[in-house]
Amino acid sequence: MLLDGGRSLPLAIRQDAGRTEAAYLLPPRSTLLLYTDGLVERRGRPLTDGITAAGTAVRDASGSSLEDLAAQVMTRLAPAGGYEDDVAIVLYHHPAPLDIVFSAESGQLASVRARLRSWLSNCDIGAKTVQDVLVAVGEACANAIEHGHRHSPGQQVRLRAVSTANQLRLTITDTGRWRTSQPGDCPHRGHGIALMRALMQQVTIEPGPAGTTVDMYLRITHGYSA
Amino acid sequence: MATPLELSTRRSPDGTPVVTAVGEIDMSNAGRFRDALSLAAAENSPAAAESSPAAAVGGRFVVDLTGVEYLDSAGINALFAYSACIELIASPLLAPVLTVTGLSDITSVRESQD
């Protein structure tokens, strides 16, 4: 989507000329790119070619973090001999990533859920999908609280949530090690992991030297046109 | 502090105990939920029926989760213990959790009207 309302003469050409304004409502999970002409203007090439290339670069990298996206835009649009003019770009994505650190106590679960629910309401996904994410994240947090801190209470758990145009990524990190299931374990304990794997597209559980990381992805199919 | 959860038990006109939960059920309050189920099951036992014939209706009781907006494996584990003798009422919001864990395969589930 090219924002072409609000076009005016370049600054300082005519001091007395009025400047136009336009407004556009950014859909949730969309990415905004603002740029100076150095990014898109090339001698001997129509300006529209450069603008189209910039739009394509943003769309192609729509699953990336903003940092990666900035690098990709700058790299893909760079002419062979390097940029001839100064380039400034601004990238904005809404909602910004969620990052919560909480103490590993079951009493924290309700407020973590409330904050995640609020963040998800800015992602424009359906109620059923919101519930799926809340349950999958809830299971990972409950496991982090229960298994990760059996031997060292008072530890912390970190929840990060990132939205891109077509997916959500949720990462829960604790400082403990989940116990692998033993014979004689209550058979119902497995429900938590089964729920995570059923409700999310991709779940990895990585024990590491510092703790266990659960990484979950959910593809969002309902969307808006770019 | 545990997640707030309202629990109440009453009897329907035919004498069946109905346990009603309103709020969210997670690992912080699943124990209270399990206690309410256990109490309803005990009141519904054949022994209880002897002292009050109206009490037992085939040992079954109803668990009404219409007002429950969050349920995960903690609440599911509590329900599994009584899966043979309960009838569940739940909104469509909870359907995926009931289905994935297999509870809806072995327990009668009625969709609430809300």
Side-chain angles (χ1 to χ4, degrees), chain A residues 35-47 50-51 77 79 83-85:
Chain A
Y35 53 90
T36 57
D37 54 3
L39 182 72
V40 296
E41 204 164 18
R42 303 282 175 268
R43 260 195 290 272
R45 189 183 75 173
L47 189 59
I51 294 173
L77 268 75
Y83 287 100
E84 292 175 352
D85 194 1

Side-chain angles (χ1 to χ4, degrees), chain A residues 120-201:
Chain A
L120 288 169
S121 73
N122 290 319
C123 291
D124 189 29
I125 56 181
K128 185 206 176 296
T129 307
V130 169
Q131 194 70 11
D132 289 350
V133 175
L134 289 175
V135 171
V137 171
E139 295 295 348
C141 290
N143 275 313
I145 291 168
E146 194 176 355
H147 300 294
H149 302 278
R150 210 176 320 112
H151 301 300
S152 41
Q155 296 298 309
Q156 296 196 309
V157 181
R158 185 178 187 192
L159 165 65
R160 274 169 293 177
V162 179
S163 74
T164 61
N166 45 30
Q167 79 176 11
L168 297 182
R169 180 182 184 183
L170 305 127
T171 311
I172 296 95
T173 316
D174 68 37
T175 53
R177 180 168 287 269
W178 292 12
R179 205 182 63 151
T180 52
S181 54
Q182 307 288 338
D185 266 359
C186 170
H188 302 314
R189 286 209 169 278
H191 290 311
I193 294 191
L195 278 168
M196 286 191 284
R197 294 203 187 280
L199 299 175
M200 300 283 109
Q201 251 97 51

